[in-house]
Amino acid sequence: MIIGSGPAGLEAALNLKIRQKDFLLFGAADLSNKITLAPRINNYLGLPGISGGDLAARFREHLEQMAIEIVPEQVTTVYPMGEYFSLATAHRTLEATTVILCPGVFNSKDLPGEAEFLGRGVGYCATCDAPLYRDRTVAIVGYTDESVEEANFVCDVAVKVYFVPGKAFTRPLDSRVEVVDDVPVEITGSGKVEQLILNNRTLAVDGVFLLRETIAPASLVPGLETENGFIKVDAAMQTNLPGCYAAGDCTGKPHQYMRAAGQGQTAALNAAAYIDIQKHTHAE
């Protein structure tokens, strides 16, 4: 599984396709805003002065020629299971022999209490965990366009749903959902989530879902080693978890398209080799 549709993720997908490996590429259909919004790029070898929009068009053309599709689902958690990985999205759970993390840079800071209560009332996928909050009170802090849909889904299960919009939303919200136009400050509780503290009020809740465009690497993959907020990798783009690779801006500076693409290729080559070794080992 490849997580991320920037240069690193796309390059990884191309190389896995060439090596005839089965994979899924998760990401945004419009690729990355850091590419499409760039006015002029002068350091991408062979394409001097190209605009970000034109470069993105070249990327899409290459994907079409290789018959590579982007799966527009956000992966909310990657669980290392020993010989494989279990990945959860809002709609399904999948298994993979290897994972290549290319989510870009995580720009948001953790909310105080977020890491402490992760798995004890804090989550990143409301539709995944909704059954755990039947007849309970939930707050959804939404920074994505899909946040409204998740809030609508949860209100069929929870007794009370608060929706704290982190951005303007236009999709229709269920009338049972209470919109709270305020800013989250802290998540508190004793052993489990009990309150979401906002600037101007405090909500008594049993769970808090933080729905962002990206998830901090350490929260996305339990046990993943990071350094100064970036995923720690070796020269093979291998993380501290066997079979888990990372490439692109998530591994640190400099944040450059060429560097990201090169790391994506390296990660794919080593992930493919890892898969071959695993198959050979099990065959014996």
Side-chain angles (χ1 to χ4, degrees):
M1 303 293 179
I2 305 168
I3 301 174
S5 54
L10 301 183
E11 186 68 28
L14 291 173
N15 280 274
L16 290 175
K17 184 76 172 185
I18 291 170
R19 279 154 186 77
Q20 300 181 345
K21 301 302 181 186
D22 295 325
F23 65 90
L24 289 179
L25 170 62
F26 291 94
D30 58 355
L31 306 185
S32 167
N33 285 337
K34 291 183 178 179
I35 299 174
T36 57
L37 298 180
R40 187 179 180 87
I41 301 166
N42 289 313
N43 64 349
Y44 203 97
L45 184 64
L47 299 172
I50 192 170
S51 71
D54 288 341
L55 183 61
R58 296 283 188 94
F59 287 169
R60 292 191 188 94
E61 181 182 354
H62 201 163
L63 293 180
E64 290 174 3
Q65 290 179 357
M66 299 289 288
I68 295 173
E69 297 182 358
I70 297 174
V71 181
E73 297 178 34
Q74 184 182 32
V75 177
T76 56
T77 314
V78 178
Y79 296 103
M81 305 297 288
E83 294 186 350
Y84 69 96
F85 295 87
S86 177
L87 293 82
T89 75
H91 308 288
R92 52 182 170 164
T93 300
L94 301 163
E95 294 180 0
T97 306
T98 63
V99 173
I100 302 178
L101 304 172
C102 311
V105 176
F106 178 75
N107 294 316
S108 301
K109 292 184 179 179
D110 274 5
L111 196 64
E114 177 179 342
E116 178 184 352
F117 293 105
L118 182 60
R120 293 184 292 163
V122 170
Y124 300 111
C125 179
T127 54
C128 302
D129 298 336
L132 300 176
Y133 295 93
R134 183 171 298 278
D135 299 327
R136 297 187 178 185
T137 300
V138 172
I140 295 178
V141 182
Y143 299 93
T144 69
D145 293 334
E146 294 75 23
S147 300
V148 171
E149 295 177 8
E150 298 213 26
N152 289 341
F153 180 86
V154 175
C155 75
D156 287 332
V157 177
V159 68
K160 177 68 176 180
V161 176
Y162 295 103
F163 182 63
V164 185
K167 59 181 289 186
F169 64 94
T170 57
R171 299 186 184 186
L173 189 65
D174 193 293
S175 60
R176 293 171 292 175
V177 178
E178 180 178 340
V179 178
V180 182
D181 287 316
D182 209 336
V183 178
V185 174
E186 185 179 4
I187 300 169
T188 64
S190 177
K192 60 182 181 63
V193 169
E194 294 175 353
Q195 294 180 325
L196 174 62
I197 299 175
L198 308 171
N199 266 343
N200 300 301
R201 64 182 289 191
T202 296
L203 304 177
V205 296
D206 300 295
V208 176
F209 291 103
L210 302 166
L211 308 184
R212 304 187 180 103
E213 293 290 351
T214 57
I215 300 172
S219 298
L220 178 65
V221 188
L224 183 69
E225 187 174 351
T226 60
E227 188 172 40
N228 298 322
F230 296 106
I231 302 174
K232 192 173 182 180
V233 295
D234 59 18
M237 299 293 106
Q238 168 78 55
T239 70
N240 64 303
L241 303 172
C244 180
Y245 301 82
D249 290 354
C250 65
T251 65
K253 296 181 179 180
H255 297 154
Q256 299 286 335
Y257 304 136
M258 288 291 285
R259 173 181 180 270
Q263 287 190 336
Q265 180 187 44
T266 301
L269 294 175
N270 286 292
Y274 180 89
I275 291 172
D276 291 340
I277 291 172
Q278 295 296 103
K279 286 183 177 179
H280 180 73
T281 300
H282 287 300
E284 292 179 344

